[in-house]
Amino acid sequence: MSTEAVGHPYPRLEGREKVTGTARYAVEYPVDGVTYGWAVPSAVVRGRITRVDTTQALASPGVLAVLHHGNAPRIAPGQQPELWLLQEPVAHYRGQYVAVVVATSLEAAREGARLVHIDYDTGPHSTVLTDDHPGLYKPDHVNPSYPTDTAEGDFDAGYAAAPVRVDATYRTPAYHNNPMEPHATTAQWRDGRLLVHDSNQGASSVQATLAELFELPPESVRVVARHVGGGFGSKGYAKAAVVLAALAARHVDRPVKLALTRQQLFGPIGYRTPTIQRVRLAADTDGRLTAICHDAISQTSTIHEFTEQTAVYTRSMYAAPHRRTTHRVVRLDVPTPFWMRAPGECPGAYALESAMDELAVAAGIDPVELRIRNDTDVDPDQGQPFTSRNLVACLREGAQRFGWAGRDPSPRARREGRWLIGTGVAGSSYPARARPCSATATARPDGSFLVRVNATDIGTGARTAMWQVAADALGVPPERVEIHIGDSALPSAPVAGGSMGTASWSWAVMRAAQALREKLRDGGPPTEEVTAEADTAEEVGGQPTRPRYAYGAQFVEVRVDADTGEVRLNRMLGVFAAGRVVNPTTARSQLIGGMTMGLSMALHEEGLLDERYGDWVNHDLATYHITGCADVESIEAYWLDERDDELNPAGVKGIGEIGIVGAAAAVANAVHHATGVRIRELPIRLDKLVGVSGLA
Ligand code: MOS
């Protein structure tokens, strides 16, 4: 038995390529005869296009074509209405792509786009989510396929009878995904076949979507995504860039590179919906929850129903005999919201974990202790025991590492000069899922191995993790293993999303390696290549359905300037229980990345929509603020050595999203402890703090 590669902090396999700039991203491949596409967004919120005047654009130097609904190649409707682009003379929201200019240079395409004139017939629009919007309705389900509402016991009676109660409404604004690499594609047609180098979270899924839209057999479409500069959910499906590039390349019969601009990422690629969440909690005088209710409101577009599963977190997190959750959604004249790191759990946990803090104050119980008292081994929603649940262990270990003991619970108890100091805590959880996947393993005569699986590395270290898993499964040192990912020509695999990439891919890789070892029974390298394949569809599909989650505890110490309301973090510390950790280096980055995004949400991020124009005013990184190093002095992530053999062969739970869950609540709770001010509407801007009470 060789030394295990899993658990060892290997540096990323492609690290050198990335830091030296030789790793190629979607629009960085040299292509002969390439042209450049520039997307033209709708200038109105909703309207009928009455005229497209391309005269000036076509006369501009270098411009080859202007595609619009009148001349673009036809595509099938498909399952994602957002992708049925340039097919009808209609704009469903401001920013929706209504034309593409193709030119011999990027600059010429951009100038051409400026010269396209489009007239619209417009009507009234509605773009702002309110809790009394007349269009609010109850959808059939929430994402991905959860029941819309749940109820057990009698919430109203339980709530009315309880001695300690909290009734609070929390609001989160729209959040915009900003991967470093924008949505970008190089598209080429050859003999009726489509090749795209595309920035996405799953090349197999994009391949299937393109095949559907362009009515091609899947094998006529190849999607390469060798390196991807972030996604956070926004690249979880094919998006506009790849469709526009493919349409344009077919139209001009030349390769087309099309990258969205930073400004164009704000909206049409999907964003996290704003939410309005009312949480009611009731407890006995010992802080044991008796009633929990979470009512969530969010928005979707007029063309596609996407309902964030905001209250789903609350269904399984803490126990109580009387429970209710509801979701309502409204169709607005806006782009369709989409996945953003921990969709559902992230905004939902902000509300519930804030309300838990309010309950701790109301009951006079330490907030760590309150969560421990309301722990449960049985999923309150499913009524079955969790495969493993180490929330309490995370809380205890976090409290110990953070130095929580002896905390004076009174707000404004600590002051250092002009800084008010406070600490806060929040729980965290995220489902541990897996999807069917296929992979192959090949033994070569020289004693090396090749493992192929269409996993995607969106910057997480997935390639390295799969290489480690493969080496252990083959029983050889990783140096003898070559891993190929990021190409739809490889065995089909699910997306890098939902924190289920590693669980899904490693399952297939381990099964392929096992099958190969069976074939090579007599040992020693074969005289010619031997390949074994695996497909986990049956095994994963037949999984028992006991509830399975990763858990965490987030701790934060803030300081708030008593004069200006400025919030800074002295430290942020998370402890997570997420099964087996494949690579401590990349895992730590993932967890810290999630926590950083939660901090960003707590203090800065806010899509500000101007109702008159139905568009976000702040659509660049100068005006849409994100967190920076100056906001926090130290972020630490730890994990428990958790073994859970019921999950999947690798024993992993996924770590992509758990780091963000609860992080914003921990910040908000610490701000309350520091100042006595409870901010229930993110972000926690200084004007909200100063405005409330005059801190000094
Ligand atoms: Mo994640 S929001 O499922 O990529």
Side-chain angles (χ1 to χ4, degrees):
M1 180 86 194
S2 63
T3 316
E4 283 197 348
V6 168
H8 188 81
Y10 286 102
R12 285 154 205 263
L13 295 174
E14 70 287 341
R16 179 180 294 271
E17 276 176 84
K18 283 188 174 171
V19 298
T20 55
T22 57
R24 292 203 195 281
Y25 290 80
V27 288
E28 296 181 333
Y29 289 84
V31 178
D32 285 341
V34 79
T35 65
Y36 298 84
W38 194 281
V40 179
S42 158
V44 302
V45 184
R46 61 181 283 189
R48 254 200 114 64
I49 296 171
T50 54
R51 192 180 67 115
V52 182
D53 182 352
T54 60
T55 322
Q56 263 191 296
L58 288 171
S60 183
V63 172
L64 300 170
V66 180
L67 281 81
H68 51 84
H69 68 90
N71 64 356
R74 298 295 95 189
I75 51 175
Q79 289 165 39
Q80 299 281 328
E82 283 275 351
L83 300 181
W84 203 57
L85 291 159
L86 314 188
Q87 303 298 303
E88 50 174 356
V90 177
H92 298 94
Y93 56 84
R94 188 175 165 117
Q96 187 175 28
Y97 302 113
V98 291
V100 176
V101 175
V102 187
T104 51
S105 74
L106 187 66
E107 294 77 10
R110 180 184 192 169
E111 175 64 2
R114 199 179 65 79
L115 298 171
V116 175
H117 300 292
I118 302 176
D119 294 335
Y120 305 85
D121 261 351
T122 60
H125 62 256
S126 175
T127 51
V128 174
L129 179 69
T130 56
D131 54 9
D132 59 354
H133 196 291
L136 282 164
Y137 68 97
K138 180 183 171 185
D140 287 342
H141 67 274
V142 299
N143 297 333
S145 56
Y146 289 110
T148 305
D149 296 353
T150 57
E152 184 142 341
D154 182 343
F155 169 77
D156 294 318
Y159 185 76
V164 187
R165 285 182 295 211
V166 166
D167 179 351
T169 297
Y170 304 89
R171 287 160 202 271
T172 57
Y175 297 113
H176 296 281
N177 266 320
N178 270 283
M180 290 225 297
E181 182 194 26
H183 292 59
T185 304
T186 303
Q188 308 179 63
W189 289 90
R190 234 176 269 145
D191 307 323
R193 298 163 69 88
L194 174 61
L195 167 65
V196 298
H197 289 81
D198 180 55
S199 186
N200 62 60
Q201 291 175 228
S204 298
S205 143
V206 173
Q207 176 196 34
T209 301
L210 292 174
E212 184 185 28
L213 293 177
F214 289 91
E215 298 177 281
L216 295 167
E219 55 277 12
S220 294
V221 179
R222 182 172 169 206
V223 180
V224 179
R226 210 157 280 144
H227 301 291
V228 176
F232 310 108
S234 72
K235 296 173 184 168
Y237 270 131
K239 286 296 176 68
V242 71
V243 177
L244 294 177
L247 281 170
R250 178 171 258 193
H251 185 76
V252 300
D253 199 22
R254 284 174 68 172
V256 171
K257 289 187 176 183
L258 189 147
L260 297 184
T261 66
R262 181 61 54 189
Q263 286 85 351
Q264 288 175 344
L265 296 184
F266 286 76
I269 62 155
Y271 54 96
R272 199 197 297 282
T273 172
T275 68
I276 302 171
Q277 307 177 54
R278 182 181 183 193
V279 179
R280 281 171 286 173
L281 301 177
D284 62 24
T285 49
D286 291 334
R288 289 202 168 72
L289 285 162
T290 52
I292 303 174
C293 181
H294 190 162
D295 300 307
I297 291 172
S298 65
Q299 74 189 36
T300 188
S301 67
T302 58
I303 54 174
H304 190 51
E305 184 183 274
F306 175 101
T307 311
E308 181 106 354
Q309 66 273 40
T310 312
V312 164
Y313 176 86
T314 298
R315 293 178 184 168
S316 298
M317 193 58 181
Y318 302 109
H322 306 293
R323 287 175 296 107
R324 189 161 81 206
T325 63
T326 68
H327 294 86
R328 297 295 177 266
V329 69
V330 57
R331 292 183 179 276
L332 301 178
D333 300 302
V334 294
T336 311
F338 199 59
W339 299 330
M340 184 166 179
R341 211 167 196 166
E345 281 77 10
C346 173
Y350 159 64
L352 181 66
E353 298 293 339
S354 293
M356 286 293 279
D357 200 65
E358 301 208 41
L359 185 72
V361 172
I365 294 169
D366 176 82
V368 171
E369 176 59 26
L370 178 74
R371 288 172 172 85
I372 291 172
R373 279 187 201 174
N374 288 291
D375 188 42
T376 171
D377 290 333
V378 172
D379 180 354
D381 189 52
Q382 299 296 313
Q384 287 177 287
F386 295 104
T387 59
S388 56
R389 171 158 162 137
N390 280 307
L391 172 64
V392 169
C394 291
L395 286 162
R396 289 198 201 284
E397 168 120 6
Q400 194 258 325
R401 287 184 179 273
F402 187 79
W404 184 265
R407 173 189 190 250
D408 181 339
S410 336
R412 307 176 70 137
R414 279 174 69 194
R415 186 171 181 140
E416 287 169 21
R418 57 183 230 268
W419 296 101
L420 302 168
I421 315 285
T423 53
V425 64
S428 176
S429 83
Y430 194 81
R433 307 184 181 101
R435 290 267 188 278
C437 181
S438 48
T440 63
T442 301
R444 292 157 165 165
D446 66 359
S448 70
F449 295 86
L450 171 64
V451 172
R452 299 161 76 248
V453 57
N454 185 24
T456 319
D457 193 326
I458 58 174
T460 56
R463 179 180 279 105
T464 312
M466 282 310 104
W467 172 73
Q468 293 173 246
V469 167
D472 285 359
L474 290 163
V476 300
E479 292 71 26
R480 280 169 57 191
V481 178
E482 193 179 330
I483 180 103
H484 287 184
I485 67 165
D487 189 334
S488 68
L490 297 167
S492 173
V495 294
S499 294
M500 59 189 162
T502 304
S504 310
W505 308 322
S506 62
W507 199 324
V509 165
M510 289 169 86
R511 292 294 180 248
Q514 275 171 356
L516 183 66
R517 290 175 81 171
E518 294 282 322
K519 280 193 176 180
L520 301 171
R521 262 285 149 81
D522 3 341
T527 50
E528 54 189 54
E529 280 194 357
V530 176
T531 295
E533 36 191 274
D535 182 340
T536 62
E538 217 165 292
E539 197 183 353
V540 173
Q543 255 192 122
T545 53
R546 276 178 69 183
R548 47 198 70 209
Y549 291 83
Y551 290 92
Q554 309 260 15
F555 291 81
V556 164
E557 181 179 285
V558 299
R559 60 179 197 275
V560 181
D561 188 306
D563 294 322
T564 66
E566 179 188 353
V567 178
R568 294 292 166 97
L569 270 64
N570 292 335
R571 52 208 178 97
M572 195 172 194
L573 185 153
V575 176
F576 302 92
R580 203 159 173 224
V581 167
V582 175
N583 184 317
T585 301
T586 56
R588 184 175 172 278
S589 294
Q590 277 278 77
L591 294 168
I592 285 179
M595 293 166 73
T596 305
M597 242 167 127
L599 162 60
S600 196
M601 163 185 176
L603 296 187
H604 299 289
E605 293 189 41
E606 179 175 29
L608 287 161
L609 195 123
D610 184 329
E611 195 168 9
R612 290 169 301 170
Y613 306 107
D615 198 4
W616 287 282
V617 184
N618 51 344
H619 48 185
D620 57 39
L621 291 178
T623 51
Y624 180 89
H625 292 173
I626 58 171
T627 198
C629 292
D631 286 325
V632 55
E633 281 169 30
S634 130
I635 305 186
E636 296 171 50
Y638 301 95
W639 49 87
L640 307 178
D641 183 19
E642 187 180 64
R643 298 288 147 143
D644 183 336
D645 296 327
E646 277 195 50
L647 300 169
N648 50 66
V652 302
K653 283 185 173 176
I655 48 174
E657 350 239 340
I658 183 103
I660 197 175
V661 181
V667 175
N669 296 342
V671 167
H672 174 263
H673 185 232
T675 64
V677 180
R678 181 72 65 179
I679 305 292
R680 300 191 183 89
E681 184 170 0
L682 294 180
I684 306 169
R685 279 199 320 256
L686 61 175
D687 55 300
K688 294 180 188 171
L689 282 167
V690 171
V692 173
S693 68
L695 296 176

